[in-house]
């Protein structure tokens, strides 16, 4: 019957037409989506690279160097990583070719996307039913590292491809390769091949790398935490042999070189020992570098600068060794331990040769060596009492001063243990650290004159300090060990003021000198005053309160103590203990105390402990400096 057949044919034809229409619609949609993807690929990558071109300037760990040019340490990048960048010309050809052979052997032949590699990865992933290969080119890896995260999504891969293509248009192949070899993460917080070579092999000149070391480095990017030799020597060795096989197939090495390099045993290099106290010196150097250049500290940390300092490594080592000895410090309190800080200055040129802002300072800790927060006690007397009196010309070391209780309005200073001699020479009053003669002498000299004298030594007092209690070191704000050492360095330097500094020179990553310290000296007090003060301060160490500071060199100095009133305890307690002194070579200030002093955290030790710490640091430090 013809009708049913015709009806079936019509239905079939309609079905075919509908299918073709749907196929056409799908094709059109695919074309539209493809065009949109291409437009997105073209626009997104170009926009991202143009909008964030600063990402192409890699943050690089700045270097702090000691006075002999040797590195003290590198400044960690945000996230505690380290990068030392290298130009492509500084890298051996074999290292470059090894990375290309392992990571992207068609690098010089594609436009950012290795389609052959992508197809191979897709086939292998399909066969294994999992994402075991990425097929990313070196340019894609760089794009991901600079601009994206590591999420394995189609959208992220599209962005990665878009940026990679844009990078290829924006940069040359060698520029991309140089960025990649400096940006790539190499495990243990190291970024870039140069940082990794130094960390794992102790090699700072990349041209000195051996074949097996190059193979180790080229094998790390596949799994930085798995294949770096410091964390997993066996896995690293396995990976090294795979890389050597690739290098051999690509004709980069001979069969004999491959076999020899495959059996080399990894021996970790000796890491440079820089004690914890160097952290304080580095912090002070960064702050000073920022002040003298106007460059923010954060930029200084990550700009690849070289900051050459005045640190004497022998002095710093002696400082750290002494500060690590628990027996040299007061017992711990109930809630915290007694802290300490010390600064050593070369008073001949103003260089700060050593510094610590705590007993075990860490990155970001308070640097107590530079904080104006502590009462100096009697260590302030040479600065505010005896120095001004000598400079005035009205008094001499032999001048007789009254030593008996006086009342200055409501202020009634007392000697320790309320012991009075009736009268003392100025030299004896300083040696015995008597309080009554000091306050009397300050009143005779005049507060205004004394404050001006202290200012010439680098200590500017506030309006709240315009009272006689400053004779005993009772200051409104307090001072730092650095300022105390700076002030005493004028006595040690014959009356010449040389501003203390840590930074000698700053150069940028291109070797351009941005700053160089220019020595400056000015006479602020007479040589006579400085000489008489030194003579008096030497008697303090010879047979006075500073006797524990004696070493095998002439020492002049003064102790200082601030007491703590603990009502109802009957316990004698101290808040701060000091010794500030100098030898013919260096001036130093020592402070010991608790960050927060209270009924549970205080010291019963006196200033003799600070004087003893001065001796334990200065004797070996000077010995090291003379070697």
């Amino acid at each position: 019957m013809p009708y049913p057949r015709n009806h079936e044919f019509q239905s079939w034809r309609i079905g075919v037409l509908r299918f073709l229409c749907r196929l056409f619609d799908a094709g059109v949609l695919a074309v539209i989506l493809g065009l949109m993807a291409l437009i997105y690929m073209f626009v997104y990558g170009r926009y991202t690279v143009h909008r964030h071109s600063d990402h192409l300037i890699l943050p690089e760990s700045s270097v702090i160097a000691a006075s002999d040019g040797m590195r003290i340490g590198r400044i960690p990048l945000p996230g505690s990583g380290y990068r030392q960048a290298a130009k492509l010309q500084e890298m051996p050809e074999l290292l470059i070719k090894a990375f290309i052979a392992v990571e992207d052997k068609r690098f010089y032949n594609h436009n950012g996307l290795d389609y052959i590699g992508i197809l191979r990865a897709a086939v292998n992933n399909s066969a294994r039913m999992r994402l075991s290969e990425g097929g990313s080119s070196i340019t894609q890896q760089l794009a991901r590292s600079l601009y994206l995260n590591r999420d394995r999504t189609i959208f992220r891969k599209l962005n990665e491809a878009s940026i990679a293509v844009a990078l290829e248009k924006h940069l040359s192949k060698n520029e991309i390769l140089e960025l990649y070899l400096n940006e790539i993460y190499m495990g243990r917080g190291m970024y870039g091949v140069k940082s990794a070579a130094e960390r794992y092999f102790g090699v700072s000149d990349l041209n000195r790398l051996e074949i097996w070391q190059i193979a180790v480095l080229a094998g790390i990017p596949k799994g930085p935490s798995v294949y770096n030799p410091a964390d997993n020597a066996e896995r690293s060795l396995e990976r090294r042999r795979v890389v050597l096989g690739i290098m051999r197939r690509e004709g980069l090495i001979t069969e004999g070189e491959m076999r020899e390099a495959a059996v080399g045993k990894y021996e970790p290099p000796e890491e440079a020992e820089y004690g914890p106290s160097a952290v304080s010196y580095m912090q002070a150097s960064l702050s000073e570098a920022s002040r003298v250049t106007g460059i923010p500290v954060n930029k200084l940390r990550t700009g690849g600068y070289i900051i050459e300092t005045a640190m004497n490594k022998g002095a710093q080592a002696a400082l750290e060794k002494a500060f690590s000895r628990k027996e040299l410090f007061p017992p711990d309190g109930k809630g915290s331990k007694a802290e300490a800080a010390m600064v050593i200055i070369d008073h001949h040129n103003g260089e700060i040769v050593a510094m610590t802002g705590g007993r075990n300072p860490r990155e970001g800790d308070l640097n107590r060596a530079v904080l104006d927060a502590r009462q100096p006690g009697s260590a302030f007397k040479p600065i505010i009492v005896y120095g001004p009196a000598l400079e005035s010309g009205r008094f001499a070391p032999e001048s007789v001063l009254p030593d008996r209780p006086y009342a200055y309005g409501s202020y009634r200073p007392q000697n320790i243990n309320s012991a009075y001699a009736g009268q003392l020479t100025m030299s004896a009053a300083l040696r015995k650290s008597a309080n009554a003669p000091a306050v009397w002498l300050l009143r005779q000299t005049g507060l205004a004159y004394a404050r001006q004298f202290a200012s010439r030594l680098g200590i500017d007092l506030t309006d709240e300090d315009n009272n006689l209690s400053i004779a005993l070191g009772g200051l409104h704000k307090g001072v730092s060990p650095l300022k105390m050492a700076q002030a005493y360095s004028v006595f040690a330097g014959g009356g010449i003021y040389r501003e203390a500094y840590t930074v000698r020179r700053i150069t940028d990553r291109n070797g351009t000198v941005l700053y160089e310290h220019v020595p400056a000296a000015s006479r602020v007090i007479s040589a006579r005053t400085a000489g008489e003060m030194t003579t008096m301060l030497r008697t303090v160490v010879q047979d006075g309160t500073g006797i524990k500071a004696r070493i095998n060199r002439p020492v002049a100095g003064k102790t200082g103590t601030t007491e703590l009133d603990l009502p109802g305890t009957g316990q004698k307690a101290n808040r701060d203990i000091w010794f500030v002194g100098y030898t013919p070579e260096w001036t130093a200030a020592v402070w010991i105390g608790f960050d927060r002093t209270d009924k549970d955290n205080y010291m019963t030790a006196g200033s003799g402990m600070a004087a003893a710490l001065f001796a334990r640091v200065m004797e070996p430090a000077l010995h090291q400096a003379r070697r």
Side-chain angles (χ1 to χ4, degrees):
M1 298 175 60
Y3 178 78
R5 286 199 202 103
N6 188 53
H7 178 73
E8 290 175 2
F9 175 75
Q10 291 294 331
S11 297
W12 175 81
R13 188 172 65 175
I14 291 171
V16 171
L17 288 173
R18 286 176 177 171
F19 172 76
L20 291 175
C21 287
R22 289 172 182 170
L23 187 62
F24 177 78
D25 291 343
V28 171
L29 181 60
V31 170
I32 293 173
L33 290 175
L35 287 173
M36 290 176 63
L38 286 174
I39 294 171
Y40 180 84
M41 281 269 296
F42 179 77
V43 174
Y44 177 80
R46 289 189 63 181
Y47 171 79
T48 301
V49 173
H50 177 74
R51 180 74 174 79
H52 302 287
S53 58
D54 57 311
H55 288 204
L56 300 177
I57 302 173
L58 301 180
E60 183 179 352
S61 302
S62 292
V63 173
I64 309 286
S67 59
D68 60 359
M70 297 297 291
R71 189 183 73 210
I72 300 169
R74 284 201 177 91
I75 308 298
L77 301 173
S80 299
Y82 295 86
R83 176 184 290 109
Q84 187 175 12
K87 298 292 185 183
L88 206 61
Q89 300 91 307
E90 299 176 52
M91 303 179 193
E93 185 178 3
L94 184 59
L95 174 69
I96 296 169
K97 288 184 175 180
F99 269 86
I100 292 174
V102 173
E103 294 296 322
D104 184 5
K105 67 180 182 180
R106 283 174 289 276
F107 172 70
Y108 282 105
N109 299 319
H110 61 64
N111 68 341
L113 304 178
D114 181 8
Y115 298 103
I116 297 175
I118 293 172
L119 180 61
R120 184 196 68 244
V123 171
N124 291 339
N125 290 338
S126 298
R128 296 167 185 167
M129 301 297 290
R130 60 188 177 89
L131 289 174
S132 58
E133 295 185 26
S136 295
S137 67
I138 280 177
T139 315
Q140 285 176 273
Q141 293 179 53
L142 179 63
R144 179 173 62 240
S145 181
L146 291 178
Y147 296 101
L148 303 169
N149 56 39
R150 301 187 68 85
D151 292 343
R152 290 190 173 188
T153 64
I154 294 177
F155 192 67
R156 198 272 293 162
K157 291 295 289 184
L158 182 63
N159 290 342
E160 177 186 295
S162 177
I163 296 171
V165 172
L167 285 173
E168 291 275 350
K169 294 182 180 299
H170 188 73
L171 303 171
S172 69
K173 284 288 188 180
N174 283 349
E175 288 172 331
I176 290 171
L177 191 57
E178 182 177 300
L179 273 171
Y180 170 78
L181 291 171
N182 284 309
E183 166 64 12
I184 190 167
Y185 182 59
M186 300 291 285
R188 282 290 179 107
M190 299 295 122
Y191 290 86
V193 293
K194 186 166 185 178
S195 297
E198 189 164 307
R199 170 62 183 84
Y200 298 128
F201 309 122
V203 175
S204 55
D205 181 356
L206 294 176
N207 287 294
R208 296 179 60 189
L209 287 169
E210 299 179 28
I211 293 175
W212 72 271
Q213 294 171 329
I214 288 174
V216 169
L217 294 176
I220 290 176
K222 182 178 176 64
S225 62
V226 176
Y227 295 119
N228 80 73
D231 288 329
N232 197 324
E234 290 186 9
R235 296 286 295 275
S236 175
L237 179 59
E238 294 172 5
R239 179 65 178 158
R240 183 207 313 178
R241 289 170 177 165
V242 171
V243 172
L244 287 168
I246 296 173
M247 294 169 69
R248 176 69 188 98
R249 287 196 302 272
E250 295 297 318
L252 302 180
I253 57 176
T254 66
E255 187 73 25
E257 289 172 331
M258 181 185 74
R259 285 197 298 268
E260 183 181 353
V263 296
K265 185 179 179 182
Y266 174 71
E267 295 288 346
E270 290 186 11
E271 295 187 51
E273 293 290 340
Y274 302 108
S277 299
V279 171
S280 301
Y281 198 105
M282 290 169 69
Q283 287 178 351
S285 299
L286 279 170
S287 296
E288 184 178 319
S290 178
R291 177 174 56 82
V292 298
T293 63
I295 301 172
V297 170
N298 286 342
K299 186 175 180 181
L300 279 172
R301 297 174 69 91
T302 61
Y305 298 94
I306 298 176
I307 302 173
E308 300 175 42
T309 73
M311 177 193 283
N312 181 291
K313 290 194 300 184
Q316 187 70 26
L319 184 70
E320 293 168 8
K321 184 176 181 180
F323 270 58
S324 69
R325 301 189 62 175
K326 188 175 181 179
E327 69 272 17
L328 298 181
F329 297 90
D332 295 343
K334 290 184 179 180
S336 61
K337 69 177 182 180
E339 275 295 349
M342 185 171 182
V343 177
I344 306 176
I345 299 173
D346 184 339
H347 46 254
H348 299 96
N349 52 28
E351 292 187 340
I352 299 175
V353 298
M355 172 191 294
T356 179
R359 290 173 61 183
N360 187 31
R362 302 295 182 193
E363 179 73 21
D365 283 357
L366 290 176
N367 188 350
R368 301 168 185 85
V370 299
L371 288 177
D372 292 331
R374 295 294 168 174
Q375 304 299 310
S378 293
F380 203 55
K381 290 174 180 175
I383 298 168
I384 201 67
V385 176
Y386 298 110
L390 293 172
E391 185 73 359
S392 71
R394 296 166 53 197
F395 298 91
E398 301 78 23
S399 298
V400 177
L401 313 177
D403 181 28
R404 50 184 177 268
Y406 276 97
Y408 304 91
S410 60
Y411 181 51
R412 300 171 181 270
Q414 294 184 332
N415 286 349
I416 297 175
N417 299 324
S418 298
Y420 299 91
Q423 60 183 26
L424 291 170
T425 64
M426 182 192 294
S427 181
L430 179 62
R431 186 178 74 252
K432 295 176 179 292
S433 199
N435 291 335
V439 178
W440 180 88
L441 187 57
L442 175 58
R443 188 165 185 260
Q444 298 302 309
T445 306
L447 279 167
Y449 184 83
R451 284 159 57 94
Q452 183 188 52
F453 182 93
S455 180
R456 280 183 273 162
L457 271 57
I459 298 179
D460 293 313
L461 301 178
T462 66
D463 292 340
E464 291 85 353
D465 291 316
N466 199 37
N467 56 73
L468 292 175
S469 65
I470 61 175
L472 310 183
L475 305 183
H476 176 73
K477 184 179 177 182
V479 294
S480 65
L482 174 58
K483 284 189 176 178
M484 290 296 289
Q486 173 79 85
Y488 273 62
S489 74
V490 176
F491 301 139
I496 304 297
Y497 180 89
R498 298 175 177 87
E499 185 176 3
Y501 68 96
T502 61
V503 178
R504 286 181 174 178
R505 179 186 301 169
I506 303 170
T507 56
D508 65 15
R509 66 174 78 198
N510 298 315
T512 303
V513 177
L514 303 180
Y515 167 80
E516 191 156 12
H517 180 79
V518 178
S522 58
R523 177 165 295 283
V524 293
I525 64 174
S526 68
R528 175 188 58 80
T529 295
E532 290 176 341
M533 180 61 70
T534 296
T535 300
M536 292 198 301
L537 288 173
R538 282 183 176 169
T539 67
V540 174
V541 176
Q542 289 165 1
D543 57 1
T545 60
I547 196 168
K548 290 185 178 180
R550 291 188 296 184
I551 59 175
N552 60 1
R553 299 288 294 144
V555 177
K558 182 70 183 75
T559 55
T561 306
T562 60
E563 296 182 353
L564 176 67
D565 183 22
L566 292 176
T569 64
Q571 176 70 57
K572 179 182 178 182
N574 292 325
R575 184 186 299 272
D576 305 286
I577 55 177
W578 291 79
F579 183 81
V580 189
Y582 49 93
T583 68
E585 298 84 5
W586 292 340
T587 302
V590 178
W591 165 83
I592 302 175
F594 285 91
D595 285 334
R596 291 180 62 87
T597 305
D598 53 34
K599 61 182 180 63
D600 294 322
N601 301 281
Y602 60 87
M603 297 178 295
T604 56
S607 56
M609 177 167 277
L613 184 58
F614 172 94
R616 294 299 290 266
V617 172
M618 292 293 279
E619 189 159 22
L622 289 166
H623 176 72
Q624 290 287 337
R626 290 195 295 267
R627 290 176 61 180

